[in-house]
Amino acid sequence: MFEPIIERLLLIKAPVTRKLKIPLAGIRAFEAILKSEDISSSVLAIEIAVAEFSKYSKGDPQVTSDFEKILAREFWGLNTPRLIKKKARALKEIWELEARTVAVKNKRNKWLSIRVTEEEYDMISKRAQEEGLDISNYIRKRLGLEYKS
């Protein structure tokens, strides 16, 4: 349900949780609904969630629109604060589960190793330091792979 949105947020490097790399946009949106005192309708809940979501989605209108459409579908017909909050709690759990699934797909779990001389190692290490990277990210950058600066 949320996987395309989560993948897009990760692609645009939206804020994520530290360890599990779950995009904060969805978590904060659902928490905003749960913390809100006066939710009288599902429309108000959607407005609160979308406003909070847009703060963490780096201003991407497409991903915010997609999120709003899903919320409209999921909250349709709910008219009591209790039901709305239960649905928000369930959707938050779904968000976290789907984000973990996406994160596992993107996890690096294969190793490459190469043998180098001491001089080659020193040269690579020096160049990596000049660019402000560790050796692994320096090599990833040189190979054209995704790296963290």
Side-chain angles (χ1 to χ4, degrees), residues 8 14 42 46 50 65 69 78-79 83 88 90 92-93 99 115 117 132 140 143-144 149:
R8 178 78 179 134
S42 59
I46 293 168
V50 169
S65 173
K69 288 175 188 172
L78 302 179
N79 52 12
L83 287 175
K92 180 183 173 193
E93 287 182 27
R115 299 176 79 72
T117 65
R140 293 183 66 78
L143 292 173
S149 54

Side-chain angles (χ1 to χ4, degrees), residues 28-29 32-33 36 38-39 43-53:
R28 297 289 189 255
I33 294 172
S36 181
D38 53 324
I39 294 181
V43 174
L44 181 61
I46 293 168
E47 287 175 9
I48 291 169
V50 169
E52 193 67 22
F53 183 87

